[in-house]
Amino acid sequence: MVSRVNIYTDGACRGNPGPGGWGVLLEYQGTKKELCGGTQESTTNNRMELLAAIRGIEALTKASDVYLYTDSTYVQKGITEWMTGWKKRNWMTAAKKPVKNKDLWVRLDEALASHNVEWRWIKGHAGHPGNERADALANQGIDSLDRE
């Protein structure tokens, strides 16, 4: 039986745009690993949500079966519904405009290459322990900027 990795991700921004942070909780066979980071640069919630998913996938050391939980419909729909069309249109939207955050979407697409990921949307701030922890880590990522 193949073991599954659960990844909970969240992004946060103080102001949108403003300083941002990302948080990731990885769970595998009863072990948990937490990751977080942030940027003082003016960024957006969507960029931080994407970066959280990227960092979670990039943290995997071998090909894995993954359930990735996100409270971002932008990330979940982007990867499961929109990306195929963007790539066919050379990273243009259906309205023939450049895809926002293309740099992160390309990085996410590359990170996914060796993994089997099932994307699961989860309602944010609804008491789900994995999502709540990822949210706290994203805020910790921003808070750590104040101490640098």
Side-chain angles (χ1 to χ4, degrees):
M1 180 175 132
V2 176
S3 295
R4 182 184 70 235
V5 179
N6 291 319
I7 301 177
Y8 298 89
T9 66
D10 203 13
C13 218
R14 303 243 169 97
N16 193 21
W22 54 269
V24 178
L25 171 64
L26 295 106
E27 296 178 335
Y28 177 71
Q29 294 184 336
T31 301
K32 294 182 181 185
K33 181 175 183 178
E34 297 180 344
L35 307 168
C36 68
T39 180
Q40 282 283 17
E41 296 175 25
S42 185
T43 190
T44 65
N45 284 337
N46 284 343
R47 286 189 68 79
M48 293 296 96
E49 294 281 1
L50 274 166
L51 194 53
I54 290 165
R55 292 298 187 106
I57 297 295
E58 288 179 345
L60 301 173
T61 58
K62 62 182 179 180
S64 302
D65 288 332
V66 177
Y67 284 169
L68 193 144
Y69 297 87
T70 178
D71 62 7
S72 169
T73 56
Y74 173 69
V75 171
Q76 194 264 337
K77 288 186 181 220
I79 199 72
T80 62
E81 297 178 24
W82 306 331
M83 187 184 285
T84 301
W86 292 340
K87 289 165 69 173
K88 285 180 185 172
R89 293 186 296 272
N90 197 27
W91 294 99
M92 300 294 276
T93 67
K96 299 189 183 353
K97 295 185 179 175
V99 170
K100 290 181 182 177
N101 304 311
K102 175 189 170 190
D103 58 329
L104 295 178
W105 285 112
V106 169
R107 184 172 164 191
L108 179 58
D109 190 39
E110 290 168 355
L112 293 171
S114 61
H115 306 289
N116 177 30
V117 180
E118 185 173 317
W119 294 84
R120 296 187 165 195
W121 181 82
I122 188 168
K123 184 173 174 58
H125 309 287
H128 188 284
N131 179 256
E132 294 294 336
R133 186 63 194 142
D135 178 68
L137 289 165
N139 281 288
Q140 182 180 319
I142 299 173
D143 293 341
S144 70
L145 299 171
D146 298 333
R147 295 189 294 273
E148 292 180 355

